[in-house]
């Protein structure tokens, strides 16, 4: 499975993006999906899920020793999240730009965090920080048969 996924490069690069519980509560799902669609990325997976603490601890494994770790797990399990996989050229780096900085106070207007939130502990969205993280996160949150392979009719107008 890992060998297969590592073939996703170029226009087939994928990122894992999640609207966090505050983003869902604040009705930001449509706005966020709209931004990725309009940018030209292709949606290959999407679902609304209540994440278990076990899954979230795995997702944020790298941060396990941070002082905010337990409050982060509580925040992320406080309600449903909308998890998505977006595909396209340089989608990992571009999605991070579209999200803004980790701290909303450092995020420029025009970014999701720069437009819709003010506090780091309620920053409404997640996006993978590297292609390797994206592969790990996609396989953690999605089964292979939940990801759709489809040809976008606008492909030749975007590339
Ligand atoms: N976070 C926090 N306090 C901090 C740093 C991070 O509550 O001082 C939370 C915040 O929700 C952030 C998440 O932990 O989005 C993951 O942190 P990371 O450094 O990976 O930031 P991201 O990749 O989400 O920008
Ligand atoms: Mg991160």
């Amino acid at each position: 499975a890992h060998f297969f996924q590592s073939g996703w490069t170029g226009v087939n690069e994928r990122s894992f993006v999640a609207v966090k519980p505050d983003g869902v509560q604040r009705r930001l799902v449509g706005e966020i999906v709209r931004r990725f669609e309009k940018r030209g990325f292709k949606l290959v997976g999407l679902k609304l899920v209540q994440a278990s603490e076990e899954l979230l601890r795995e997702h944020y494994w790298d941060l396990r020793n941070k002082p905010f770790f337990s409050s982060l797990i509580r925040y992320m399990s406080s309600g449903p999240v909308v998890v998505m996989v977006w595909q396209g050229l340089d989608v990992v780096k571009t999605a991070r730009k579209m999200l803004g900085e980790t701290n909303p106070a450092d995020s420029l207007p025009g970014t999701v965090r720069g437009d819709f939130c003010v506090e780091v502990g309620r920053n409404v969205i997640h996006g993978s920080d590297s292609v390797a993280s994206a592969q790990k996160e996609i396989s953690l949150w999605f089964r292979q048969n939940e990801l759709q392979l489809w040809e976008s009719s606008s492909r030749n107008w975007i590339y």
Side-chain angles (χ1 to χ4, degrees):
H2 280 281
F3 177 77
F4 180 66
Q5 285 185 342
S6 66
W8 298 116
T9 58
V11 300
N12 294 321
E13 186 175 305
R14 290 174 170 190
S15 187
F16 174 79
V17 174
V19 184
K20 296 180 176 183
D22 49 338
V24 174
Q25 290 286 352
R26 294 179 52 206
R27 314 314 204 243
L28 294 173
V29 173
E31 169 70 26
I32 288 165
V33 170
R34 179 183 150 275
R35 289 182 178 209
F36 281 86
E37 278 194 309
K38 292 186 81 165
R39 185 70 188 255
F41 294 121
K42 183 165 76 171
L43 184 63
V44 297
L46 182 148
K47 59 183 176 178
L48 177 72
V49 292
Q50 171 64 55
S52 67
E53 293 191 12
E54 184 189 11
L55 175 68
L56 291 164
R57 275 193 291 269
E58 180 75 32
H59 175 80
Y60 283 126
W61 179 250
D62 293 348
L63 302 175
R64 65 193 176 281
N65 294 321
K66 300 284 185 186
F68 57 85
F69 185 72
S70 60
S71 68
L72 174 60
I73 301 303
R74 234 178 300 123
Y75 161 45
M76 290 296 293
S77 58
S78 64
V81 294
V82 170
V83 290
M84 303 177 268
V85 177
W86 290 96
Q87 183 173 316
L89 188 64
D90 286 323
V91 65
V92 170
K93 188 176 81 180
T94 306
R96 292 285 292 192
K97 286 192 177 162
M98 291 167 69
L99 262 57
E101 301 300 317
T102 302
N103 187 344
D106 300 327
S107 300
L108 291 174
T111 65
V112 173
R113 288 166 175 167
D115 287 345
F116 301 120
C117 56
V118 292
E119 204 194 271
V120 68
R122 295 288 184 271
N123 61 358
V124 305
I125 190 167
H126 168 85
S128 307
D129 63 9
S130 68
V131 171
S133 302
Q135 286 172 356
K136 182 197 141 191
E137 292 169 1
I138 291 166
S139 60
L140 184 63
W141 289 85
F142 285 91
R143 298 169 192 278
Q144 198 67 249
N145 67 3
E146 292 176 315
L147 302 176
Q148 308 304 325
L149 298 174
W150 60 287
E151 203 56 56
S152 164
S153 65
S154 49
R155 182 192 165 113
N156 293 338
W157 301 102
I158 294 168
Y159 298 107

